[in-house]
Amino acid sequence: MKVMIVGGGGREHAITWAVAKSKRVDKIYAAPGNAGIAELAECVDISVMDADKLVAFAKEKEVDFVIVGPDDPLAAGVADAFLDAGIKTFGPRKNAAIIEASKAFSKDLMKKYNIPSADYEVFDSAEAAMEYIKTAQLPIVLKADGLALGKGVLICMTREEAEDGIRELMVDKKFGTAGDKIVIEEYMTGREVSVLCFSDGKTILPMTSAQDHKRAGDGDSGLNTGGMGTFSPSPFYTPEVAEFCNRFVYQPTIDAMRAEGREFKGVLFCGLMLTAGGPRVLEFNARFGDPEAQVVIPRLKNDIMDVFEACVDGTLDKITLEFEDNAAVCVMLASDGYPVSYKKGFEIKGLENFKDKDDYFAFHSGSAIKDGKVVTNGGRVLGVTAIGKDLVTARANAYKATEWVEFDNKYMRHDIGKAIDEQ
Ligand code: AMP
Ligand code: GLY
């Protein structure tokens, strides 16, 4: 079978790695891919947003199966373009990807179907939002309605911060049209857990749990980023929590989407907060998380193509997901200055250390090939993932492996997985 992967981040590198392991796959294309993916797939320089070119390429190469990785093309209907051209495609259609692309939509859905989440109001005018926060309880959370690279959420401790936040999102349009509407939400406290679930629209199968570290600096300081590191499984996701989420979050959400005429096929990423009052949904994403994928996918025992195909065919009830009884930690190596401004184009050295090692991975996020050398090409450069028999071992292994790689302006957090010690 010929497979094409749309995307070029660490998530797509992890997906490509798993697809390359499948006995059923003969050839892999990636658009646009990156320097790491290029070792496993033939990369073609087509933008993830250029549906016409992507479909034309897939047709020309007689691609049998497409996987769309990132949120932007899913929100823009790139999966629809492939499906409408008769190509089997893993990833939700635009009308289902809205569960991520509009926070107001997902909040309204949860309210309508009694899925536990924070109380909220939606505003499409800055004046009304300003009026609301005059009397709202603090702290309070502001969320841009649309996609904002995971950075459109502001936790405001004071009314002044909230006013500044509303101005930033709705008046100054820091995230463009994503801030035309905002959600203002109750502040919750608790442990965060991410559970990525495969769904065929009717059946939903949760994968092993993971946890992201979103802030740029140690001790959760600094700005929100796309994710600075992850670990899996989360020791806080107990069987009781899992049982609750199966009954009251995952299946009800998939059923709600179907009832709304928005059948969801793909990965439903459930960001959960384990509050004193029980698990509640922080957000939904319509795709694998990045870097959650880098710790979850390496632990999956199934042939990933079997699972992808069952999601598309509506036969997920025939699949049993299996994960290795081990743990994984991913430490993101970034360019110093991320997520604000940073230099790129520096040579990445030491990647050969990962060759022929089953338990260590360097999943490329922002890398490129320049003059035959692998160079940095983004804020998040490489996700260094290591497996271990438990989380403490996996973390020690991951930090050891971060030393194998060198590039100018290399930056990482030093406390990925630290919460593990508190279990
Ligand atoms: P989101 O992109 O909606 O998951 O939000 C990004 C991060 O902001 C989450 O991972 C949480 O750490 C935090 N956050 C979002 N919503 C809330 C909330 N209602 N209460 C407290 N923290 C939140
Ligand atoms: N790591 C968070 C996300 O992929 O949205």
Side-chain angles (χ1 to χ4, degrees):
M1 159 157 71
K2 290 185 190 169
V3 176
M4 175 166 158
I5 289 145
V6 176
R11 161 185 45 221
E12 287 76 27
H13 192 178
I15 294 171
T16 308
W17 171 81
V19 168
K21 272 201 317 182
S22 171
K23 291 181 210 64
R24 302 169 51 202
V25 174
D26 313 303
K27 174 82 190 172
I28 312 175
Y29 297 98
N34 61 36
I37 294 173
E39 297 196 356
L40 303 163
E42 186 177 327
C43 295
V44 49
D45 192 16
I46 305 176
S47 156
V48 298
M49 300 302 281
D50 195 338
D52 290 345
K53 271 202 190 149
L54 290 169
V55 171
F57 179 82
K59 280 188 169 166
E60 182 199 322
K61 300 291 181 188
E62 299 179 329
V63 166
D64 303 292
F65 198 99
V66 175
I67 300 138
V68 183
D71 46 357
D72 281 329
L74 289 167
V78 168
D80 304 59
F82 284 112
L83 288 163
D84 295 344
I87 303 170
K88 276 196 182 187
T89 302
F90 180 81
R93 283 186 178 270
K94 179 179 177 173
N95 77 346
I98 190 173
I99 199 165
E100 170 170 11
S102 167
K103 291 204 188 270
F105 170 87
S106 76
K107 294 298 295 184
D108 291 347
L109 185 88
M110 287 188 268
K111 189 176 190 178
K112 183 170 171 189
Y113 292 91
N114 281 319
I115 296 157
S117 185
D119 288 338
Y120 73 104
E121 297 282 338
V122 179
F123 295 92
D124 56 13
S125 101
E127 293 72 34
M130 290 287 190
E131 198 53 40
Y132 177 79
I133 53 140
K134 277 188 187 154
T135 54
Q137 200 177 335
L138 294 167
I140 193 125
V141 183
L142 311 183
K143 298 186 174 184
D145 176 55
L147 297 177
L149 298 169
K151 296 164 201 159
V153 174
L154 307 175
I155 314 272
C156 306
M157 307 311 283
T158 64
R159 277 180 224 292
E160 252 175 23
E161 271 177 45
E163 283 170 18
D164 290 347
I166 292 169
R167 232 171 270 125
E168 215 171 85
L169 296 174
M170 302 192 84
V171 182
D172 304 340
K173 300 261 176 227
K174 187 168 174 198
F175 299 106
T177 55
D180 284 354
K181 241 196 263 183
I182 65 166
V183 169
I184 302 189
E185 190 174 276
E186 170 200 358
Y187 177 75
M188 303 188 286
T189 53
R191 291 276 173 202
E192 286 187 39
V193 180
S194 300
V195 179
L196 284 54
C197 307
F198 286 110
S199 176
D200 67 358
K202 297 186 290 290
T203 301
I204 181 155
L205 298 182
M207 297 178 228
T208 182
S209 58
Q211 188 183 321
D212 190 10
H213 296 68
K214 287 204 165 91
R215 298 296 194 97
D218 285 358
D220 287 334
S221 60
L223 295 173
N224 260 329
T225 69
M228 292 301 294
T230 39
F231 61 86
S232 170
S234 162
F236 308 106
Y237 191 68
T238 60
E240 294 72 38
V241 173
E243 167 66 18
F244 179 94
C245 294
N246 284 328
R247 279 184 63 192
F248 299 112
V249 178
Y250 311 145
Q251 192 66 49
T253 303
I254 285 302
D255 292 344
M257 290 297 278
R258 201 170 61 253
E260 295 289 315
R262 298 172 183 276
E263 187 174 62
F264 189 97
K265 293 179 171 212
V267 170
L268 182 71
F269 168 141
C270 304
L272 304 164
M273 191 169 267
L274 310 181
T275 72
R280 291 160 102 192
V281 176
L282 280 169
E283 64 163 346
F284 289 119
N285 294 320
R287 51 169 174 83
F288 280 105
D290 192 350
E292 286 83 349
Q294 286 96 306
V295 286
V296 169
I297 292 177
R299 300 185 53 229
L300 177 68
K301 284 196 203 174
N302 303 65
D303 182 324
I304 205 165
M305 286 311 302
D306 291 345
V307 186
F308 283 155
E309 210 163 22
C311 289
V312 179
D313 293 346
T315 55
L316 203 55
D317 56 335
K318 307 279 189 299
I319 299 270
T320 307
L321 284 185
E322 286 187 83
F323 287 88
E324 301 284 355
D325 184 19
N326 57 16
V329 171
C330 170
V331 179
M332 190 57 68
L333 303 186
S335 304
D336 196 15
Y338 172 75
V340 182
S341 66
Y342 47 84
K343 290 191 187 137
K344 45 192 192 181
F346 299 115
E347 183 177 358
I348 305 173
K349 292 189 188 135
L351 290 169
E352 66 283 357
N353 291 306
F354 292 83
K355 287 244 159 72
D356 306 319
K357 289 194 178 74
D358 290 338
D359 290 347
Y360 295 87
F361 306 87
F363 291 122
H364 293 226
S365 289
S367 72
I369 297 172
K370 200 170 116 194
D371 303 328
K373 290 182 177 142
V374 181
V375 298
T376 62
N377 193 38
R380 294 193 294 173
V381 177
L382 283 178
V384 170
T385 294
I387 305 288
K389 66 178 182 349
D390 54 26
L391 285 164
V392 172
T393 314
R395 182 176 57 181
N397 290 346
Y399 274 106
K400 180 179 68 188
T402 61
E403 291 169 17
W404 301 343
V405 189
E406 281 311 325
F407 54 86
D408 285 356
N409 292 0
K410 174 175 132 184
Y411 171 81
M412 66 182 153
R413 274 183 65 162
H414 293 89
D415 59 351
I416 301 301
K418 204 155 176 228
I420 298 162
D421 301 335
E422 298 163 28
Q423 64 186 284

